[in-house]
Amino acid sequence: QVQLVESGGGLVQPGGSLRLSCAGSGFLFRISGMTWYRQAPGKERELVGQIASLGQSTNFRDSVKGRFTISRDNAKNTVYLQMNSLKPEDTAMYYCSVVWGETYWGNGTQVTVSS
């Protein structure tokens, strides 16, 4: 079965950095585009960024462009979300997602940006 496991979240001060990881299994990771979402308390889940199967293209929501990058290691079945210059408004639960017949989600990892 498809499994996605996020890790790397935590508490960070404004201006700091975190790198999230998402390990996938149960599907052909190397041919799958991967997506990061986030959901803040009381808000709808929103797309953060996406990466194509071979990493040849990425796209991001406007509010994180220039601060966040996505990369992947297909040998490790892992996708990464590097978050720099973090702001309090980046505080959310972060999820990775894949479409493999249907949409699958991990359980998420919490990111809290606070001084």
Side-chain angles (χ1 to χ4, degrees):
Q1 70 278 22
V2 174
Q3 286 191 319
L4 299 168
V5 179
E6 302 94 338
S7 61
L11 173 64
V12 63
Q13 292 187 342
S17 297
L18 281 175
R19 188 177 80 155
L20 307 184
S21 300
C22 171
S25 61
F27 62 100
L28 287 175
F29 186 90
R30 67 182 183 276
I31 65 169
S32 301
M34 299 295 296
T35 305
W36 283 98
Y37 288 83
R38 67 186 181 187
Q39 187 167 19
K43 295 188 176 181
E44 293 187 355
R45 191 170 294 189
E46 62 185 21
L47 188 149
V48 175
Q50 297 175 299
I51 186 167
S53 58
L54 298 178
Q56 70 272 34
S57 66
T58 58
N59 64 77
F60 298 90
R61 67 181 302 103
D62 286 347
S63 62
V64 307
K65 284 181 180 177
R67 299 188 298 122
F68 290 11
T69 59
I70 299 177
S71 61
R72 63 190 295 159
D73 185 339
N74 285 348
K76 296 182 179 180
N77 284 9
T78 301
V79 62
Y80 304 97
L81 178 65
Q82 177 68 44
M83 305 185 295
N84 300 326
S85 302
L86 282 161
K87 304 176 180 180
E89 51 263 43
D90 295 318
T91 295
M93 186 72 79
Y94 283 71
Y95 302 88
C96 66
S97 177
V98 66
V99 177
W100 188 254
E102 60 182 88
T103 301
Y104 292 89
W105 303 87
N107 289 328
T109 186
Q110 177 68 39
V111 172
T112 302
V113 185
S114 175
S115 55

